[in-house]
Amino acid sequence: MTTTHTLAVERLTLGYSDRVVISSLDLVVPPGKITAIVGANACGKSTLLRSMSRLLAPRAGHVLLDGKQVHRLPAKQLARTLGLLPQSPTAPEGITVADLVGRGRNPHQRLLSRWSREDDAAVAAALDATQTADLADRSVDELSGGQRQRVWIAMALAQQTDLLLLDEPTTFLDVSHQVEVLDLLTDLNLTRGTTIVMVLHDLNLAARYADHLIALASGRVHAAGEPAQVLTQECVRAVFGLESQVIIDPTSEKPLMLPIGRHHVTTRPDLGLSIGT
């Protein structure tokens, strides 16, 4: 299964007050693929995601879902197709995990409609997939940061949209849970064909899990394409101002970035390193 929905931005300009964050940006999200957006802090990654989900209106240009401007679509209609997990979501005080995850079903509820077996199944599947079923009756307020993040992901999964946008979905998670979440999103993409767009800070996880990388710099697309085309020493230098070595990850055969700092660096001609200790 692969979604046929298309998501693109054309000549998009975004900002806050008198500050422009994104300027005349064009990009196309490959349908049915996993796209990761990377870039330095304050380059516009989260701002772009907010506009793609219609939370932030553009100053100029358009976000297009199936050729229609998302900011002109009815909210509930959009939410049946496109879901968003923002960077710092806030839960109502005292709400239980099961109730919060159940809110992911709101876009599918009709006026005066009753909760259905399909809704129960969607919530149960989302809890199981994120390993949060044992937390169902607990208050979200009581959870650790990592547990809370997995519950928010469960809510996004319960929404069962064909396109899913996630802003830093691995925030607050230890490395094992980071891998579990990214494996989960990959399973979702492979089994349901869900188009996934996520902002990630970890370049190596982005390169391993994404089919398509978008590197932003100063509010513009610096590079876009397959990870091997985007994650290069030149791109890391231009986007992050960081010297690095990029090698092939022996586990995934994807590019692996090794940062070079001022310390703990040994000159290795076989790796092409020319910076001393």
Side-chain angles (χ1 to χ4, degrees):
M1 297 173 59
T2 300
T3 180
T4 57
H5 295 289
T6 60
L7 183 63
V9 303
E10 294 182 349
R11 303 180 301 280
L12 189 67
T13 297
L14 304 169
Y16 305 97
S17 299
D18 59 349
R19 183 169 65 96
V20 174
V21 179
I22 296 286
S23 180
S24 193
L25 184 140
D26 293 289
L27 66 83
V28 176
V29 173
K33 303 291 185 182
I34 297 177
T35 294
I37 302 173
V38 299
N41 290 341
C43 73
K45 303 184 298 296
S46 297
T47 299
L48 174 60
L49 222 62
R50 292 189 68 211
S51 184
M52 292 170 78
S53 62
R54 86 171 231 159
L55 290 181
L56 179 65
R59 293 187 175 183
H62 310 290
V63 178
L64 302 175
L65 175 63
D66 297 332
K68 299 178 181 178
Q69 296 183 39
V70 299
H71 293 85
R72 294 185 177 180
L73 292 174
K76 205 162 189 177
Q77 177 184 335
L78 178 66
R80 294 190 195 109
T81 302
L82 187 150
L84 170 70
L85 176 62
Q87 191 172 37
S88 299
T90 302
E93 185 176 355
I95 193 171
T96 67
V97 168
D99 286 342
L100 181 63
V101 175
R103 293 195 174 197
R105 301 302 300 164
N106 286 350
H108 302 279
Q109 304 296 313
R110 307 286 182 179
L111 186 64
L112 302 179
S113 65
R114 295 182 178 181
W115 189 265
S116 67
R117 291 182 179 179
E118 183 180 3
D119 296 321
D120 278 330
V123 170
L127 291 170
D128 287 340
T130 53
Q131 300 180 16
T132 53
D134 59 331
L135 305 175
D137 295 327
R138 291 182 58 183
S139 170
V140 174
D141 299 333
E142 302 173 359
L143 304 181
S144 69
Q147 289 173 323
R148 194 176 295 118
Q149 185 71 356
R150 284 188 285 150
V151 168
W152 282 111
I153 292 172
M155 190 190 76
L157 296 184
Q159 194 172 335
Q160 292 186 328
T161 57
D162 288 334
L163 293 99
L164 183 58
L165 312 182
L166 305 105
D167 193 356
E168 290 291 344
T170 55
T171 298
F172 304 121
L173 301 181
D174 59 40
V175 64
S176 64
H177 284 116
Q178 288 180 38
V179 171
E180 285 180 10
V181 165
L182 294 173
D183 280 343
L184 168 64
L185 295 174
T186 301
D187 289 339
L188 187 66
N189 170 258
L190 293 175
T191 58
R192 296 192 68 247
T194 304
T195 299
I196 293 172
V197 183
M198 55 185 175
V199 169
L200 289 179
H201 271 302
D202 191 312
L203 290 178
N204 291 327
L205 287 178
R208 174 177 287 197
Y209 282 93
D211 304 299
H212 188 76
L213 273 185
I214 297 172
L216 294 186
S218 302
R220 298 180 182 273
V221 175
H222 177 82
E226 295 181 358
Q229 298 172 316
V230 175
L231 188 52
T232 64
Q233 292 170 210
E234 294 76 13
C235 184
V236 172
R237 183 184 302 116
V239 172
F240 295 94
L242 177 68
E243 295 298 328
S244 66
Q245 284 289 307
V246 177
I247 63 174
I248 299 300
D249 183 341
T251 300
S252 64
E253 297 186 343
K254 296 289 189 73
L256 181 69
M257 189 276 292
L258 307 176
I260 298 174
R262 293 185 296 108
H263 301 287
H264 309 295
V265 179
T266 301
T267 301
R268 287 281 303 277
D270 55 318
L271 294 179
L273 295 179
S274 58
I275 298 179
T277 57

